[in-house]
Amino acid sequence: MLLKELSALASPLNDQKLDQLQQAASELSPQQLAWISGYFWGLSQTAVAGEAQPAGLPVAAVASQPAGKLTIIYASQTGNAKGVAQALKDEADAAGIAAELFSAGDYKGKNLAKETHVIIVASTHGEGEAPDDAIELHEFLQSKKAPKLPNLEYAVIGLGDSSYEFFCQTAKDFDTYLAKLGAKPMLDRLDCDVDYDAPAATWRAQALEKVQATLVKADAQVVQLPVGQAAAAPSAFNKQNPFEASLLVSQKITGRNSGKDVRHVEIDLEGSGLTYQPGDALGVWYSNDAELAAAIIAKVGLNEDDTVEVDGQSVSLIQALINDYEITAANPQLVTRYAELSGSKKLAKLVEDKDKLREYAANTQVIDVLGEKKTVLDAAQLVGLLRRLTPRLYSIASSQEEVGEEVHLTVGLVEYAKGEETRQGGASSYLAQRLEEGDSVKVFVETNNHFKLPADDNTPVIMIGPGTGIAPFRAFVQERDNRDAAGKNWLFFGDRTFTEDFLYQVEWQKYLKSGIVNRLDVAFSRDQVEKVYVQHRLLEHGAEVWQWLQDGAHVYVCGDANRMAKDVHDALLTIAEQQGQQTREQAEQYLNDLRKSKRYQKDVY
């Protein structure tokens, strides 16, 4: 019913007040209107002297004199930090705390001087670098332009992977910069590892308690408001609520004599309503190999039917290791803890050298760490060594414009020999070997706004993707083909051999012949005496690459972060120096400016 229509009823408001109320309501969102209705109801109840709240009705305390607001800023590369920040915003809303949510790329650093409460959620990119959307804010806080912040209370939570040297570096940087500017921490920074859900949830609750205690004036009148009983809208499929899709295809696309097993995987999304864009990733929840789980249990002298508690439920140890814990990839914390439990001198020596510890953990599986010294553990000690299972993210290798309600992946099976035994990756072996066509697989879409095609279809793009790094560029080209994009496309691809490892060769030849791909340069490292990689091809065509950049081209790099991405970056620096007559410092600034303007984007792992 419209407010105007109320005047026809026995209303206690006159026409003037109704007009004022209607004008105010027209400027409010549905969420704000719902809050206001509860607020006015609460005021009406306090006006009735001695009248108690209805029994059993849940209430929320809301200050009638709110002081300021909470600003939440996220620096996210793949979407995890954004997800934590959004959860914090939702929890703040539920607690009646006024809060605003910003991507770091959309937030002006100078506005920090106007804030009273800020929480930053930050991931780390590459070698301790800030995510693309946070570069400017990160630089601003280090500059002379950054304001003093004596009135700001802040908190920082970092997301990262402790297997890497620069663990949560961006969060550490923000914490340091804000403190130097005079801001006061509300609580200690939390640096989260890959299994961050539980610690992040606990930290968010603590942070909001601190905000609520200081954001609202101590003498503010408190009104008890009823909590709404409306049914929640159905949640979209996401990491916490994945869609049970079905496997359509898992086809090997490397040759019989290739040293690698790379699969083209197709998954059916029919009925999910899931949508994605080229550059996004698909999250895959997987189960571990039952034989590996049993071997780990036997290795530490336990029985498969021993029980452990997982999320408040008692489950068998074998089921916990198959469904709930990471049992393939080791990590520095596991090695450190097992060194203490086992008394292994070898592991203890590794723990003393952080670089060697990280290298060992990155190249050793859990079962082999446990094999360094035979040690009997109890079930709680075993699971205490392990991280919780987390989904694997794969760059999507298809455009929805091309494949409809399907999603395609390019999955390299992680596999190597360890003595007489074979070691495999958890998720890759699940998709490549343990799943059969028609089996269900739990998936969700992880949006990546930092690896996207240019909005202008006339813009040229340079794509550099060796090995399975080719995946998102298959999606890019399919998308540009379906959009009849006029912009030129240049692809650099590399692998071991032309005959065995040229992924999607027939498709690329088709696109090259039709003119969708304007240039295709390949580097097969083992087809000649001297090894040739994609960075060598870039340097060979440096003049043309530079000209494309001068014409506004966007550059995309996907694949291995440790070597390939660094080598490609160095090649681009060299091209800027040689072709642009720049100093090394100028070349570095040039590439940094390209990153800021979204013209140099990386999806590396």
Side-chain angles (χ1 to χ4, degrees):
M1 182 178 292
L2 296 175
L3 286 172
K4 278 289 187 182
E5 293 175 309
L6 291 173
S7 60
L9 304 176
S11 170
L13 302 178
N14 59 33
D15 288 345
Q16 182 181 1
K17 289 183 177 179
L18 279 173
D19 286 337
Q20 291 172 341
L21 187 58
Q22 185 174 31
Q23 182 177 354
S26 67
E27 300 173 358
L28 298 175
S29 68
Q31 184 182 17
Q32 291 169 324
L33 286 169
W35 189 92
I36 287 291
S37 67
Y39 176 74
F40 284 156
W41 184 92
L43 288 178
S44 73
Q45 298 307 295
T46 60
V48 181
E51 186 170 323
Q53 289 282 348
L57 184 64
V59 296
V62 179
S64 64
Q65 300 175 33
K69 64 177 175 59
L70 167 65
T71 295
I72 304 166
I73 302 170
Y74 62 86
S76 185
Q77 191 71 27
T78 63
N80 287 337
K82 180 181 179 181
V84 171
Q86 184 62 61
L88 181 63
K89 170 68 163 63
D90 294 342
E91 289 158 359
D93 289 343
I97 297 172
E100 286 189 285
L101 181 66
F102 295 92
S103 162
D106 297 330
Y107 187 83
K108 293 182 179 179
K110 65 181 182 181
N111 288 341
L112 285 169
K114 305 173 186 177
E115 307 284 7
T116 60
H117 294 74
V118 167
I119 294 178
I120 295 179
V121 186
S123 64
T124 297
H125 182 56
E127 295 185 84
E129 302 167 12
D132 289 347
D133 66 343
I135 294 173
E136 291 192 52
L137 182 60
H138 190 263
E139 291 181 349
F140 174 80
L141 291 176
Q142 303 172 68
S143 72
K144 293 180 180 179
K145 295 180 180 179
K148 297 298 181 184
L149 304 171
N151 300 317
L152 177 65
E153 295 193 54
Y154 76 94
V156 178
I157 178 171
L159 304 185
D161 184 339
S162 59
S163 301
Y164 291 92
E165 180 179 358
F166 300 98
F167 175 55
C168 289
Q169 187 61 50
T170 303
K172 294 172 183 176
D173 290 346
F174 278 129
D175 192 9
T176 299
Y177 301 156
L178 291 174
K180 283 184 177 179
L181 294 170
K184 302 174 186 67
M186 290 183 278
L187 73 166
D188 291 340
R189 184 189 72 247
L190 176 67
D191 297 332
C192 292
D193 216 330
V194 290
D195 47 350
Y196 60 84
D197 286 335
T202 300
W203 187 91
R204 291 197 306 266
Q206 294 171 345
L208 289 179
E209 282 182 12
K210 295 286 187 180
V211 172
Q212 212 156 24
T214 55
L215 187 64
V216 178
K217 294 178 182 178
D219 59 352
Q221 178 187 357
V222 174
V223 179
Q224 297 297 318
L225 303 185
V227 175
Q229 301 297 309
S235 59
F237 294 112
N238 52 30
K239 180 181 177 182
Q240 290 73 30
N241 179 36
F243 175 67
E244 286 211 22
S246 61
L247 180 71
L248 295 172
V249 172
S250 178
Q251 177 183 0
K252 187 181 179 188
I253 55 174
T254 42
R256 181 181 302 173
N257 299 316
S258 173
K260 298 193 292 185
D261 183 343
V262 177
R263 300 293 175 116
H264 173 71
V265 174
E266 298 182 2
I267 294 172
D268 187 4
L269 299 179
E270 185 177 358
S272 69
L274 285 171
T275 60
Y276 59 86
Q277 296 294 322
D280 289 344
L282 189 75
V284 177
W285 283 101
Y286 65 98
S287 57
N288 289 307
D289 180 19
E291 290 185 8
L292 175 62
I296 287 174
I297 292 170
K299 179 77 74 175
V300 295
L302 292 169
N303 298 311
E304 294 180 17
D305 56 359
D306 289 339
T307 59
V308 290
E309 188 173 290
V310 180
D311 299 332
Q313 300 288 325
S314 180
V315 298
S316 68
L317 187 56
I318 186 71
Q319 287 304 313
L321 264 57
I322 290 173
N323 298 317
D324 300 301
Y325 289 94
E326 168 65 73
I327 64 171
T328 50
N331 60 79
Q333 284 79 10
L334 178 142
V335 178
T336 302
R337 290 171 190 158
Y338 191 65
E340 295 170 356
L341 287 171
S342 67
S344 166
K345 293 181 180 179
K346 175 184 176 181
L347 295 181
K349 190 173 182 180
L350 280 170
V351 169
E352 293 174 358
D353 188 323
K354 289 186 177 180
D355 290 336
K356 289 182 179 178
L357 173 61
R358 277 191 297 270
E359 183 180 0
Y360 173 83
N363 294 287
T364 310
Q365 291 208 348
V366 170
I367 193 168
D368 297 314
V369 176
L370 299 177
E372 294 290 2
K373 185 174 181 180
K374 189 172 182 180
T375 305
V376 175
L377 304 177
D378 61 40
Q381 286 175 321
L382 175 58
V383 297
L385 289 171
L386 305 174
R387 288 173 169 174
R388 289 297 297 268
L389 194 68
T390 56
R392 292 293 193 268
L393 295 179
Y394 290 96
S395 300
I396 292 175
S398 56
S399 161
Q400 217 159 11
E401 292 291 325
E402 177 86 10
V403 303
E405 289 189 297
E406 294 180 10
V407 61
H408 298 177
L409 307 175
T410 309
V411 178
L413 174 64
V414 176
E415 187 174 41
Y416 63 93
K418 178 68 175 179
E420 295 182 357
E421 298 181 340
T422 299
R423 299 286 181 253
Q424 294 183 328
S428 63
S429 62
Y430 172 75
L431 288 169
Q433 296 182 339
R434 295 198 299 281
L435 272 188
E436 296 184 0
E437 292 183 7
D439 284 351
S440 64
V441 53
K442 295 179 180 179
V443 301
F444 60 95
V445 172
E446 189 72 63
T447 301
N448 183 358
N449 290 324
H450 307 297
F451 202 75
K452 283 286 179 284
L453 280 166
D456 184 353
D457 282 345
N458 294 309
T459 304
V461 299
I462 299 172
M463 301 166 284
I464 306 160
T468 55
I470 197 67
F473 303 134
R474 182 174 183 263
F476 277 23
V477 172
Q478 286 182 355
E479 179 80 5
R480 292 202 118 192
D481 183 19
N482 278 273
R483 280 171 24 184
D484 294 322
K488 296 188 295 182
N489 302 297
W490 188 351
L491 175 65
F492 288 87
F493 173 74
D495 217 309
R496 293 179 179 178
T497 68
F498 173 84
T499 56
E500 304 292 332
D501 304 297
F502 196 166
L503 306 182
Y504 303 111
Q505 177 186 353
V506 173
E507 291 186 25
W508 298 126
Q509 289 175 331
K510 180 193 72 173
Y511 284 128
L512 192 61
K513 184 177 180 180
S514 67
I516 303 300
V517 171
N518 301 85
R519 293 195 59 164
L520 173 62
D521 284 281
V522 295
F524 295 103
S525 60
R526 301 188 182 182
D527 277 350
Q528 61 282 310
V529 177
E530 289 189 13
K531 290 187 177 180
V532 178
Y533 299 106
V534 286
Q535 64 267 23
H536 299 132
R537 296 294 185 230
L538 280 168
L539 291 170
E540 286 174 12
H541 302 290
E544 295 96 326
V545 170
W546 183 251
Q547 187 56 57
W548 277 52
L549 288 172
Q550 300 315 295
D551 293 339
H554 288 213
V555 180
Y556 300 88
V557 182
C558 182
D560 172 57
N562 293 325
R563 294 184 181 179
M564 182 278 298
K566 295 177 186 177
D567 292 338
V568 166
H569 186 80
D570 286 342
L572 292 171
L573 285 173
T574 300
I575 289 170
E577 287 178 298
Q578 294 178 349
Q579 304 300 325
Q581 287 80 52
Q582 297 181 355
T583 65
R584 190 69 168 186
E585 185 177 352
Q586 289 173 329
E588 288 174 348
Q589 185 59 51
Y590 175 74
L591 291 190
N592 201 35
D593 289 342
L594 288 182
R595 278 188 68 192
K596 289 180 183 178
S597 61
K598 307 293 186 183
R599 287 184 55 202
Y600 178 23
Q601 300 181 30
K602 291 183 280 189
D603 179 11
V604 295
Y605 38 84

